[in-house]
């Protein structure tokens, strides 16, 4: 018997999640979830200097890998537990995966969400059969209420990540990836609570120990990174990768990760936005911020991954369409293809026309023009004009700006972070 309680807990965690458990999960869920494509990306490989293989988990019915773990957990309930029903706290992909497969199996599913959850997520969960209860202002409030209802209604709680059955189901992603490309040098996997990477690392380190397993977290939510490295780091902020914005990582999963995961990378919001945009433009596939985290890590640290054969999981595709539009437009602005120029003019006839001639001469398209005469620090005869425009590339835009400045105009270019 091990004397050290922490070591004993670790051994129990490893016993609860093995390659055999994941293979059993694969057999259990076969035919009920999509065996998603694993495809090589020539263009992303050229951009990154690595051989990039993509696992399209955004093509699941609910557009996320979470179905796998939820279904594996549901299929191991007793007949009595299935009859009474299950409950979970989630405002994300777990709620949809559990609701969809629970309804399909005839298991009542209750999902507790914070009142602040966007209406679209509530509707998506209800559309696949979940009974949504709104409670509290934060996830922690919703979680506490779900555990209360679990006791009051004698339901079975299905944790979104800190559960061996759930992690085993998620690990089937790794099985499929290594089956498709056995010689992967590296798996780059998003981390929220840690269920996906726990299962995938168990597969990789058992079947091919030399394969590196690298976790990825948003820099605004470095919860697992801090826990594994013994650091005290703040978690919070508006991250694009809301699917992995977890403040309290799993206890079970963190033990697996500490032993099997080689390292964890933190990615900035700018890298996440670029990755989402590239995947849509190049692969013609829609991913949420969390789903693009693996590619974001490779883009942010190209030297670390250069020359390697890398497997990336596009773990989800549930992104708000307005947010996606913003991300794409911001990416065009960073490329210099969209811009807002602030030009100071004299308020006299023909002043704007002269500026327009420069836009015409440089073949730069004008989208919107805004005049400001009142709320400005300029003299009464001064005028500020903001012009949103579209250029072929940054070089064309810079040529226009330089031409305007050469003619004596004061020109300011709005910048993004």
């Amino acid at each position: 018997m091990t004397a050290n309680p922490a070591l004993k807990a670790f051994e129990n965690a490893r016993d609860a999640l093995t390659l055999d458990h994941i293979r059993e999960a694969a057999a259990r869920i076969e035919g009920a979830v999509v065996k998603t494509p694993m495809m090589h990306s020539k263009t992303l490989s050229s951009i990154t200097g690595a051989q990039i293989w993509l696992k399209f988990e955004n093509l699941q019915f609910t557009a996320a890998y979470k179905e796998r773990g939820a279904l594996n957990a549901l299929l191991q309930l007793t007949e009595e537990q299935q009859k009474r029903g299950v409950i979970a706290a989630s405002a994300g992909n777990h709620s949809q995966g559990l609701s969809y497969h629970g309804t399909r199996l005839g298991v009542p599913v209750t999902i507790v969400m914070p009142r602040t959850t966007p209406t679209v997520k509530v509707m998506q969960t209800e559309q696949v059969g979940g009974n949504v209860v709104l409670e509290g202002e934060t996830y922690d409030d919703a979680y506490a209420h779900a555990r209360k209802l679990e006791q009051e209604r004698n339901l079975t709680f299905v944790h979104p990540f800190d559960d061996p059955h759930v992690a085993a189901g998620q690990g089937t992603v790794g099985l499929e990836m290594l089956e498709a490309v056995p010689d992967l040098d590296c798996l780059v996997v998003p981390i929220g609570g840690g269920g996906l990477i726990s299962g995938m690392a168990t597969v990789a380190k058992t079947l091919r120990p030399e394969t590196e397993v690298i976790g990825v977290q948003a820099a605004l939510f470095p919860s697992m990174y801090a826990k594994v490295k013994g650091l005290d780091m703040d978690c919070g902020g508006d991250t694009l990768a809301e699917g992995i914005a977890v403040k309290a990582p799993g206890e079970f999963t963190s033990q697996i990760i500490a032993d099997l995961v080689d390292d964890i990378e933190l990615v900035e919001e700018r890298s996440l936005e670029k990755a989402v945009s590239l995947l849509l433009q190049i692969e013609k596939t829609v991913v949420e911020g969390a789903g693009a985290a693996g590619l974001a890590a490779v883009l942010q640290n190209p030297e670390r991954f250069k020359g390697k054969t890398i497997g990336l999981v596009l773990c989800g595709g549930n992104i708000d369409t307005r947010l996606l539009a913003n991300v794409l437009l911001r990416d065009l602005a960073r490329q210099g293809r969209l811009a807002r120029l602030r030009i100071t003019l004299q308020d006299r006839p023909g002043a704007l026309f002269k500026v327009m001639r420069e836009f015409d001469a440089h073949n730069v398209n004008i989208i919107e023009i805004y005049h400001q005469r009142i709320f400005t620090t300029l003299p009464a005869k001064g005028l500020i004009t903001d012009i949103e425009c579209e250029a072929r590339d940054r070089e064309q835009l810079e040529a226009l700006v330089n031409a305007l400045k050469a003619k004596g105009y004061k020109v300011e270019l709005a910048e993004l972070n």
Side-chain angles (χ1 to χ4, degrees), residues 326-361:
N326 287 345
V327 169
L328 296 175
L329 291 173
R330 284 165 63 88
D331 185 63
L332 290 175
R334 291 195 180 100
Q335 295 176 40
R337 294 171 61 188
L338 285 181
R340 173 179 283 191
L341 305 183
R342 172 161 290 187
I343 305 172
T344 303
L345 305 173
Q346 289 182 308
D347 193 4
R348 61 179 60 174
L352 184 59
F353 175 73
K354 292 177 181 178
V355 171
M356 297 301 98
R357 287 195 301 192
E358 292 300 322
F359 278 80
D360 178 59

Side-chain angles (χ1 to χ4, degrees), residues 17 40 105 159 197 237:
L17 183 61
H40 181 251
L105 295 170
H159 201 284
I197 198 170

Side-chain angles (χ1 to χ4, degrees), residues 80-402:
E80 181 61 29
Q81 287 174 319
Q82 290 184 358
K83 188 175 180 180
R84 289 196 301 265
V86 298
I87 189 167
S90 172
N93 295 326
H94 179 65
S95 65
Q96 293 180 60
L98 190 66
S99 297
Y100 169 62
H101 285 290
T103 301
R104 189 178 61 79
L105 295 170
V107 179
V109 178
T110 300
I111 304 292
V112 184
M113 295 180 171
R115 292 194 184 95
T116 53
T117 301
T119 303
V120 64
K121 291 191 175 183
V122 176
M123 292 174 59
Q124 287 172 338
T125 301
E126 290 177 336
Q127 284 170 359
V128 291
N131 173 38
V132 176
V133 175
L134 299 176
E135 181 66 33
E137 297 300 311
T138 66
Y139 172 79
D140 290 341
D141 295 336
Y143 178 84
H145 189 65
R147 299 315 296 243
K148 180 183 176 184
L149 292 180
E150 172 195 7
Q151 299 300 319
E152 291 177 353
R153 301 180 184 179
N154 199 20
L155 304 175
T156 300
F157 188 84
V158 181
H159 201 284
F161 50 82
D162 209 25
D163 180 311
H165 295 327
V166 170
Q170 321 303 30
T172 61
V173 176
L175 272 181
E176 292 177 14
M177 291 178 74
L178 285 171
E179 178 184 83
V181 188
D183 60 346
L184 288 173
D185 297 318
C186 187
L187 291 170
V188 185
V189 187
I191 300 178
L196 177 61
I197 198 170
S198 293
M200 291 185 62
T202 299
V203 170
K205 294 302 183 181
T206 307
L207 292 179
R208 195 174 189 273
E210 64 270 32
T211 297
E212 267 193 301
V213 181
I214 306 296
V216 185
Q217 288 200 295
L220 291 174
F221 283 84
S223 53
M224 187 66 78
Y225 179 93
K227 185 176 182 65
V228 171
K229 295 181 181 291
L231 303 174
D232 184 14
M233 301 175 70
D234 292 334
C235 285
D238 292 325
T239 178
L240 180 63
E242 60 184 22
I244 53 173
V246 175
K247 289 186 176 182
E251 292 298 324
F252 161 73
T253 56
S254 63
Q255 295 171 48
I256 302 294
I257 289 168
D259 183 55
L260 298 182
V261 173
D262 295 283
D263 200 4
I264 300 175
E265 293 279 338
L266 301 180
V267 291
E268 302 296 333
E269 293 302 301
R270 182 169 181 159
S271 298
L272 289 165
E273 290 183 33
K274 183 177 181 181
V276 168
S277 182
L278 277 178
L279 286 163
L280 183 56
Q281 293 175 50
I282 293 170
E283 297 301 326
K284 306 301 184 282
T285 192
V286 175
V287 295
E288 59 194 83
L295 178 59
V298 177
L299 293 169
Q300 188 172 290
N301 304 283
E303 289 304 314
R304 173 165 192 168
F305 299 101
K306 188 175 181 180
K308 296 181 178 179
T309 301
I310 299 172
L312 304 179
V313 188
L314 308 183
C315 58
N318 289 310
I319 184 170
D320 178 77
T321 50
R322 184 180 61 81
L323 178 59
L324 177 61
N326 287 345
V327 169
L328 296 175
L329 291 173
R330 284 165 63 88
D331 185 63
L332 290 175
R334 291 195 180 100
Q335 295 176 40
R337 294 171 61 188
L338 285 181
R340 173 179 283 191
L341 305 183
R342 172 161 290 187
I343 305 172
T344 303
L345 305 173
Q346 289 182 308
D347 193 4
R348 61 179 60 174
L352 184 59
F353 175 73
K354 292 177 181 178
V355 171
M356 297 301 98
R357 287 195 301 192
E358 292 300 322
F359 278 80
D360 178 59
H362 288 83
N363 200 30
V364 173
N365 185 42
I366 294 173
I367 300 172
E368 296 279 0
I369 298 177
Y370 308 89
H371 274 333
Q372 182 52 261
R373 290 178 170 86
I374 307 302
F375 299 100
T376 171
T377 57
L378 294 174
K381 290 187 177 181
L383 168 67
I384 287 177
T385 297
D386 284 350
I387 301 178
E388 289 186 5
C389 58
E390 180 182 22
R392 181 181 61 251
D393 51 33
R394 185 172 297 281
E395 288 71 25
Q396 187 183 33
L397 181 66
E398 289 176 351
L400 168 64
V401 171
N402 291 335

